Amino acid sequence: MASTTGLAAFPMRLTPALAPALIILALVSSLGLGMAPTTAATGVGNAPTARAATAAMSSATAAGKPLPRDPRLPNVMVNKKHPLQPLKFVPRLRAVPGSGASLQPEAALAFNKMAAAAKKDGARIRLVSGYRSYSTQQALFASYARRDGAKAASRFSARPGYSEHQTGWGMDVGTASGSCRVAKCFANTTEGRWMRKHAATYGFILRYPAGMEAVTGYIYEPWHFRYLGPRLAAAYTASGATTLEQYDGLVPGPPAQWGVRKTTAPVRMYATAGTSAKLLAIIPTGTELYYSANRGSWLKVQHQGRTGWIQTGNSRKATPAAKTTTLALNLYSLPAITGTRLASLPRGTVVRPTGRRSGTWYQVAYAKKTGWLSGRFLK
Ligand SMILES: [Zn+2]
């Protein structure tokens, strides 16, 4: 990344007080994505004062909304271009029993709750690393940089003041056996799979997904999760964004990638998008399929409680069939019970799905409102 070169070339004789501001300015002037053009121009054109740097860093996103920068809150954006403010921020902390690590209290409690739920499903998740101080991160990055060089190290490790671990909201999750510790293979462990499926329910998201290094600045880290809180995590999941940078409007979000199709002949559902992937099912003719993402001619669909990929052939675009509530149900603003309650629907209410699903939730239109209903109580 450009920032690596900028930092590596930095003169070491700077006074400690000025150094953080200048580092920020160096990053601001070198970045292209996510910064409004006027602000970037200010950063480049002005003398390198702390004031100019601060003005540039507190800019709004491309979408016009202010970027969340308060590290005391779980919505804070911290990445290679957006350091903690203040740079040596220390959060309130709560120890996670049995881990030797801490998180901000809200995240620590959510982790405990999540670990208990995972255990019931046979997944023994452990907190491998939570909060790391500025000085710990400084030592960690320096050791990686000595081993691999600064440029290589910055692909998987943050510079001090730029790590989500320093916020107390970021964490690395591992297995009880210690296998696949902070390694790619964690993705294929029982614990890794469980986390992908259930973490958002407890407010955590996978922060550095595969193939998004250009956006997040980090290689795929199936072990690194970030606490947003259940409400924001649900909104994030429902948005279809694949990175927090997209969700916050720092980079353009994905186009709408959801809808419904009906099969016109039997369709093969694979574990991933490719005919050499594991065959999960053969979906019969006339089946209604909700899809939530596409990759070329492949669609990610849900069928009988499983998620897989189909090719678009042998199916046509369809209007989702109406559904009926099997219990008195609340309509929520988000696909989670932490969302705002928009309406209460009596049992037997007929609703019109919009074609959008998030996990087991369906987005529906009802009485001039659009909201989410739990699919467990719809038929
Ligand atoms: Zn991490």
Side-chain angles (χ1 to χ4, degrees):
M1 293 181 67
S3 57
T4 309
T5 324
L7 280 174
F10 233 78
M12 296 313 289
R13 60 191 150 74
L14 292 169
T15 62
L18 198 55
L22 286 178
I23 289 169
I24 290 167
L25 195 74
L27 287 168
V28 169
S29 61
S30 68
L31 62 85
L33 279 175
M35 197 54 72
T38 47
T39 317
T42 308
V44 174
N46 277 3
T49 62
R51 199 180 57 79
T54 308
M57 293 317 293
S58 60
S59 74
T61 65
K65 57 178 180 177
L67 195 62
R69 299 301 306 275
D70 184 347
R72 292 170 301 183
L73 302 177
N75 66 351
V76 65
M77 166 55 67
V78 169
N79 64 16
K80 287 183 178 172
K81 292 164 186 169
H82 299 89
L84 279 99
Q85 291 178 334
L87 205 62
K88 294 190 177 180
F89 172 76
V90 179
R92 289 199 306 131
L93 291 167
R94 185 187 174 106
V96 171
S99 71
S102 314
L103 293 168
Q104 290 218 32
E106 187 183 328
L109 293 172
F111 181 86
N112 294 340
K113 211 169 135 186
M114 179 167 71
K119 196 177 169 188
K120 280 186 193 153
D121 292 343
R124 294 158 70 213
I125 59 169
R126 292 289 181 273
L127 181 61
V128 170
S129 179
Y131 167 69
R132 291 200 293 257
S133 70
Y134 181 93
S135 56
T136 301
Q137 194 66 28
Q138 199 166 31
L140 195 65
F141 186 82
S143 75
Y144 288 137
R146 270 195 302 277
R147 191 188 67 188
D148 302 330
K151 190 166 183 173
S154 72
R155 292 182 69 199
F156 60 85
S157 180
R159 291 166 193 278
Y162 290 79
S163 172
E164 277 205 334
H165 285 278
Q166 195 186 325
T167 67
W169 300 120
M171 63 175 190
D172 299 336
V173 177
T175 63
S177 69
S179 63
C180 294
R181 192 177 192 275
V182 194
K184 285 273 181 295
C185 62
F186 176 70
N188 301 320
T189 61
T190 305
E191 287 73 19
R193 288 177 208 275
W194 192 93
M195 284 296 290
R196 270 206 303 286
K197 199 166 177 189
H198 301 287
T201 307
Y202 300 90
F204 294 90
I205 63 159
L206 180 72
R207 182 67 177 87
Y208 307 123
M212 301 306 287
E213 186 177 352
V215 173
T216 63
Y218 293 95
I219 53 171
Y220 177 36
E221 292 194 357
W223 60 86
H224 184 104
F225 287 82
R226 161 66 193 275
Y227 185 77
L228 294 178
R231 210 186 141 93
L232 186 56
Y236 173 83
T237 307
S239 76
T242 37
T243 62
L244 199 55
E245 281 77 7
Q246 287 174 338
Y247 185 75
D248 280 345
L250 284 171
V251 296
Q257 293 180 327
W258 47 270
V260 172
R261 292 183 79 86
K262 201 160 203 172
T263 56
T264 52
V267 170
R268 290 165 170 261
M269 180 167 88
Y270 297 93
T272 57
T275 50
S276 55
K278 187 181 171 195
L279 181 66
L280 296 181
I282 295 177
I283 303 170
T285 308
T287 307
E288 181 182 63
L289 293 171
Y290 280 71
Y291 65 89
S292 59
N294 66 306
R295 197 171 289 167
S297 65
W298 290 85
L299 297 174
K300 188 180 183 183
V301 300
Q302 294 192 41
H303 175 62
Q304 292 183 339
R306 300 174 87 176
T307 301
W309 292 79
I310 63 161
Q311 283 184 293
T312 48
N314 292 347
S315 68
R316 60 170 172 79
K317 210 170 163 27
T319 306
K323 293 199 178 285
T324 307
T325 59
T326 59
L327 284 176
L329 271 191
N330 289 324
L331 182 73
Y332 291 101
S333 62
L334 296 170
I337 54 168
T338 46
T340 306
R341 200 175 69 192
L342 301 175
S344 293
L345 282 59
R347 181 182 167 177
T349 305
V350 177
V351 292
R352 193 164 45 80
T354 63
R356 191 167 201 168
R357 272 189 79 170
S358 180
T360 57
W361 293 76
Y362 287 81
Q363 191 184 50
V364 304
Y366 170 77
K368 291 183 181 167
K369 291 190 177 98
T370 301
W372 295 84
L373 289 177
S374 169
R376 296 182 205 282
F377 310 109
L378 293 174
K379 67 167 192 223

